[in-house]
Amino acid sequence: MMERLQKVIAHAGITSRRKAEEYILAGRVKVNGQVVKELGVKVGKHDTVEVDQVPIYQEEYGYYLLYKPKGVISAVADDKGRKVVTDLLPMVKERIYPVGRLDYDTSGILLLTNDGDFAQRLTHPKHEVDKVYVAKVKGIATKSALNPLTKGIKIEGKKTAPAKYAILSVDPHTNHSIVELTIHEGRNHQVKNMLQAVGLPVQKLKREKYGELTLQGLRPGEYRELNKKEISQLLNQSK
């Protein structure tokens, strides 16, 4: 796969993409021994790229689906020494990072990659990839309580996009319900805040679906690599 030279330089961790463009224009970059001063040049993994006479390593892109368990931080490092999601993928050599996040006490699907364009595409507000959550809530879930979510509600002064819901079960004896909520936004604590706003505080939360991806075949803490078809589906859904 051919990619723009500035993206390859940025992906190698040399500098930002914008700075890489400046390096190219300044004549500091060579491709296969030849100085390149044009921004439109594309290179493949077999091309040799040098920045200031130093060859860069072109890391392969990796795309992974993790069944994140509760009690793990959606980050690559934590200053408090807590377990982070990349600790669960010790065999992965690429410098991957999570696409978006799941709260510390939330489980379910989390994608990880080292492809910045892919991650940005999936997390940008204008792209609409459905994410399905199942929540155990305190209280009796009713259509009248949940219907406002289908039109959007204000949270911290900003209206949410319309959501879909399904009431999976209700237990009057324990005063608990199981609710499925489908959203495509990714604000912090969004599902918890939405259900709290309609009087159904979340006690347990799991993300069960991301686009067409599910947790089938995985147990908490396990992961698998995405195939080309799944990657293409996600990119098509995020157009």
Side-chain angles (χ1 to χ4, degrees):
M1 184 173 66
M2 303 292 284
E3 292 186 302
R4 288 186 180 276
L5 181 56
Q6 57 265 41
K7 180 181 177 182
V8 170
I9 295 170
H11 181 66
I14 305 299
T15 186
S16 69
R17 194 176 303 191
R18 183 171 294 179
K19 276 288 186 184
E21 292 176 351
E22 294 177 11
Y23 287 8
I24 294 168
L25 294 172
R28 297 171 61 181
V29 179
K30 289 183 179 180
V31 175
N32 300 326
Q34 300 295 315
V35 174
V36 173
K37 291 187 177 182
E38 299 172 3
L39 297 181
V41 172
K42 291 187 176 182
V43 295
K45 63 180 181 180
H46 297 299
D47 291 311
T48 300
V49 179
E50 298 173 60
V51 178
D52 294 335
Q53 313 298 322
V54 179
I56 68 170
Y57 170 65
Q58 293 194 51
E59 185 178 75
E60 294 284 342
Y61 286 126
Y63 309 86
Y64 300 90
L65 185 158
L66 170 70
Y67 186 161
K68 177 193 164 315
K70 293 193 299 181
V72 181
I73 302 292
S74 293
V76 298
D78 180 61
D79 55 9
K80 296 179 182 177
R82 294 171 295 183
K83 182 177 284 191
V84 296
V85 289
T86 47
D87 291 336
L88 302 175
L89 294 85
M91 303 304 290
V92 175
K93 295 180 180 179
E94 300 96 349
R95 298 166 299 158
I96 56 173
Y97 49 86
V99 178
R101 63 190 298 276
L102 287 179
D103 289 344
Y104 182 74
D105 59 350
T106 298
S107 65
I109 292 179
L110 184 68
L111 302 182
L112 296 101
T113 188
N114 57 350
D115 184 343
D117 286 350
F118 176 81
Q120 184 179 33
R121 181 89 160 264
L122 294 185
T123 54
H124 197 283
K126 74 176 182 179
H127 301 307
E128 301 181 358
V129 179
D130 280 345
K131 295 175 277 285
V132 179
Y133 295 79
V134 173
K136 179 182 180 182
V137 299
K138 185 176 181 180
I140 304 302
T142 62
K143 289 183 178 180
S144 60
L146 290 163
N147 275 340
L149 301 181
T150 65
K151 298 176 182 178
I153 58 172
K154 274 198 173 182
I155 294 177
E156 297 175 345
K158 186 178 179 182
K159 193 173 184 180
T160 63
K164 301 174 188 174
Y165 74 85
I167 300 171
L168 303 184
S169 67
V170 173
D171 188 342
H173 299 292
T174 61
N175 193 37
H176 287 102
S177 304
I178 306 294
V179 175
E180 180 184 274
L181 197 65
T182 301
I183 65 172
H184 61 253
E185 295 177 297
R187 299 193 225 167
N188 283 348
H189 315 302
Q190 181 163 350
V191 173
K192 293 177 181 176
N193 288 341
M194 289 172 75
L195 291 170
Q196 177 75 42
V198 295
L200 297 168
V202 172
Q203 297 190 322
K204 190 176 181 181
L205 185 62
K206 179 181 178 183
R207 182 155 70 189
E208 297 217 329
K209 202 170 179 184
Y210 196 116
E212 297 301 316
L213 300 174
T214 70
L215 292 164
Q216 184 177 2
L218 295 178
R219 294 180 295 181
E222 293 182 340
Y223 69 94
R224 66 174 179 82
E225 197 165 358
L226 297 182
N227 60 45
K228 291 182 179 179
K229 181 180 178 182
E230 291 171 330
I231 295 166
S232 295
Q233 283 179 335
L234 285 169
L235 291 173
N236 288 335
Q237 289 166 351
S238 65
K239 284 183 177 178

